[in-house]
Amino acid sequence: MDMVKIFHMTGGIGDASYSSNSGLQRMGIMKTKGVIEQTISDLCHMSNLKYPKTLVMADLGCSSGPNTLLVGSMVINAVAKTSLEMGFKPPEVEINLNDLPTNDFNTIFVALQELQVNSTDENHQPKCYFTGVPGSFFGRLFAIESLNFVHSSYSLQWLSKLPELEEINKGNIYLSSTTPESVCRAYFKQFSKDFLGFLRCRSKEVMAGGRMVLTLAGRTTEDPRGEESNQLWGPFAIALQDMVFEGLVEEDKFDSFNLPQYTASPTEIMNLVKMEGSFTIDHLEIFDLKWEDWKRNKTDNDASETNDHSVGEAVTKAIRAGGISQLLANHFGEEILDDVFMRYGKNLTDITSNKKNKTVVSITVSLTRKI
């Protein structure tokens, strides 16, 4: 399976789009706002550099929709605020928006028109320039030492390809309590290879003293087979397994389907950063986001009531918009999509009916390129 050609979020701005079903990711970005603002302030205050005339950033795995604009707006506002405090003219800001070539860049560019029209150095707002950069962030994307700041949110948990498995991960589509140890090792091996490759590429592209803020879905436990990692995917495996029992999906097809994703622990991330050696960790934090946050996509202050059915429905729509549809269609065929997601939604509704809050564990790490 070629992830570069197949994997992408559902484009557009319709009801089924990632743009309309990424409220949880938006909440995650809002949780990291303080880290992003502090990082931009630190870059502008770097004592070993003159006050910068330009600040170049890359948002890796930007997807499309309001979250893409949200990150860019945070950076622009942080530059304006820091410049005003320091009494300098704000630097011009160049924001490179990266995702795989199949990403819906057209929707991004249409939405960016308003930001570019309003981009001016009046009222101490920096002039801003936006560029689309298609390609995998597991390889080189930018010229050597050309970036001041790199941001990535909820992308690095996705692997560049499926791990090579020695055993069948029977009855699962991801890591669970019944997953063989060899499968766990294969998943971590692939994540390590990808994450180290990501760091090595960025070590070439980020200038000395430059910064990165990375947020990814993770876990708090050291065992990758715990409930934290599988609470979203266990119900999906059950939906597929029911379709196998009913003769709607071939058992061999089910047994050979695994998600190209790995939710790392803080210890694993810290060890890999240390192993690669080009960056120091300035800050690492863990936070939880509730499943119901997927309902809150229109405004940050949406306090509308939720119920079990609507939470399950919201999670189902978000997962479907988040790239798994393409993986399923490539492996099983498009004809199963409506049925499997209907079953998945029912399973999620049953889970949320016990009133126990279900969460997505998130890890944010701030890093500095060594001088």
Side-chain angles (χ1 to χ4, degrees), residues 58-104:
D59 191 4
L60 306 184
C62 66
S63 190
S64 63
N67 295 345
T68 303
L69 304 183
L70 179 62
V71 174
S73 296
M74 284 181 180
V75 171
I76 293 167
N77 292 335
V79 168
K81 179 182 178 182
T82 304
S83 302
L84 184 62
E85 291 173 349
M86 297 180 69
F88 288 107
K89 180 179 179 180
E92 295 187 344
V93 177
E94 177 184 324
I95 300 179
N96 296 281
L97 302 173
N98 156 259
D99 214 308
L100 296 176
T102 48
N103 184 57
D104 184 10

Side-chain angles (χ1 to χ4, degrees), residues 107-163:
T107 297
I108 295 176
F109 295 148
V110 170
L112 285 174
Q113 284 184 333
E114 183 177 349
L115 272 181
Q116 288 180 308
V117 167
N118 294 331
S119 175
T120 174
D121 57 5
E122 296 179 3
N123 300 320
H124 225 76
Q125 288 294 312
K127 290 185 177 180
C128 304
Y129 304 90
F130 297 89
T131 304
V133 183
S136 171
F137 53 50
F138 293 122
R140 285 288 304 277
L141 293 167
F142 303 98
I144 192 167
E145 296 184 2
S146 60
L147 301 177
N148 301 98
F149 176 54
V150 170
H151 174 268
S152 181
S153 185
Y154 297 105
S155 296
L156 279 165
Q157 70 270 11
W158 292 104
L159 304 175
S160 65
K161 65 176 185 177
L162 281 170

Side-chain angles (χ1 to χ4, degrees), residues 24-255:
L24 180 139
Q25 291 90 333
R26 180 179 180 85
M27 293 293 288
I29 292 171
M30 293 302 298
K31 289 265 191 180
T32 64
K33 181 181 179 182
V35 177
I36 293 172
E37 291 175 339
Q38 184 61 53
T39 297
I40 298 302
S41 177
D42 291 345
L43 281 171
C44 293
H45 280 89
M46 286 177 63
S47 59
N48 62 319
L49 296 175
K50 294 181 180 179
Y51 194 77
K53 292 183 178 181
T54 60
L55 191 148
V56 182
M57 75 159 284
D59 191 4
L60 306 184
C62 66
S63 190
S64 63
N67 295 345
T68 303
L69 304 183
L70 179 62
V71 174
S73 296
M74 284 181 180
V75 171
I76 293 167
N77 292 335
V79 168
K81 179 182 178 182
T82 304
S83 302
L84 184 62
E85 291 173 349
M86 297 180 69
F88 288 107
K89 180 179 179 180
E92 295 187 344
V93 177
E94 177 184 324
I95 300 179
N96 296 281
L97 302 173
N98 156 259
D99 214 308
L100 296 176
T102 48
N103 184 57
D104 184 10
F105 284 100
N106 286 336
T107 297
I108 295 176
F109 295 148
V110 170
L112 285 174
Q113 284 184 333
E114 183 177 349
L115 272 181
Q116 288 180 308
V117 167
N118 294 331
S119 175
T120 174
D121 57 5
E122 296 179 3
N123 300 320
H124 225 76
Q125 288 294 312
K127 290 185 177 180
C128 304
Y129 304 90
F130 297 89
T131 304
V133 183
S136 171
F137 53 50
F138 293 122
R140 285 288 304 277
L141 293 167
F142 303 98
I144 192 167
E145 296 184 2
S146 60
L147 301 177
N148 301 98
F149 176 54
V150 170
H151 174 268
S152 181
S153 185
Y154 297 105
S155 296
L156 279 165
Q157 70 270 11
W158 292 104
L159 304 175
S160 65
K161 65 176 185 177
L162 281 170
E164 297 179 5
L165 306 182
E166 299 175 359
E167 299 179 70
I168 294 175
N169 190 16
K170 189 73 174 176
N172 303 299
I173 64 172
Y174 185 54
L175 306 182
S176 80
S177 59
T178 60
T179 295
E181 183 62 35
S182 68
V183 174
C184 290
R185 289 196 300 267
Y187 263 90
F188 178 65
K189 180 179 179 181
Q190 186 61 51
F191 174 78
S192 299
K193 180 180 179 181
D194 286 343
F195 195 70
L196 288 171
F198 175 91
L199 293 175
R200 291 186 185 114
C201 290
R202 304 296 84 77
S203 72
K204 302 293 185 182
E205 298 165 349
V206 177
M207 61 184 63
R211 303 289 292 274
M212 294 202 299
V213 174
L214 313 175
T215 299
L216 57 162
R219 67 180 197 273
T220 59
T221 61
E222 291 306 315
D223 186 355
R225 293 176 292 185
E227 182 183 357
E228 283 181 338
S229 299
N230 198 43
Q231 60 179 340
L232 277 172
W233 306 122
F236 211 110
I238 293 172
L240 283 169
Q241 200 165 46
D242 288 343
M243 295 179 73
V244 172
F245 293 152
E246 296 173 23
L248 301 174
V249 169
E250 296 178 13
E251 186 172 7
D252 289 347
K253 281 280 190 180
F254 172 54
D255 288 340

Side-chain angles (χ1 to χ4, degrees), residues 203-349:
S203 72
K204 302 293 185 182
E205 298 165 349
V206 177
M207 61 184 63
R211 303 289 292 274
M212 294 202 299
V213 174
L214 313 175
T215 299
L216 57 162
R219 67 180 197 273
T220 59
T221 61
E222 291 306 315
D223 186 355
R225 293 176 292 185
E227 182 183 357
E228 283 181 338
S229 299
N230 198 43
Q231 60 179 340
L232 277 172
W233 306 122
F236 211 110
I238 293 172
L240 283 169
Q241 200 165 46
D242 288 343
M243 295 179 73
V244 172
F245 293 152
E246 296 173 23
L248 301 174
V249 169
E250 296 178 13
E251 186 172 7
D252 289 347
K253 281 280 190 180
F254 172 54
D255 288 340
S256 61
F257 180 73
N258 290 280
L259 288 174
Q261 175 182 311
Y262 185 78
T263 48
S265 70
T267 300
E268 290 170 339
I269 292 171
M270 290 187 290
N271 287 342
L272 290 171
V273 171
K274 183 178 180 180
M275 183 185 302
E276 195 280 328
S278 299
F279 295 89
T280 58
I281 295 178
D282 304 306
H283 176 77
L284 186 147
E285 65 180 73
I286 306 169
F287 57 91
D288 289 341
L289 296 172
K290 297 179 181 179
W291 283 7
E292 65 186 50
D293 288 328
W294 262 309
K295 288 177 56 60
R296 300 172 182 173
N297 197 46
K298 300 302 181 184
T299 66
D300 300 325
N301 297 318
D302 183 359
S304 60
E305 291 184 2
T306 61
N307 55 57
D308 300 327
H309 175 72
S310 62
V311 172
E313 183 180 42
V315 175
T316 302
K317 290 172 67 176
I319 295 299
R320 185 167 187 171
I324 193 174
S325 291
Q326 287 70 35
L327 303 179
L328 288 166
N330 180 69
H331 191 83
F332 297 101
E334 293 185 2
E335 60 273 11
I336 80 158
L337 293 182
D338 289 341
D339 193 357
V340 72
F341 278 107
M342 179 189 68
R343 295 167 185 260
Y344 179 52
K346 289 180 179 178
N347 292 343
L348 292 177
T349 298

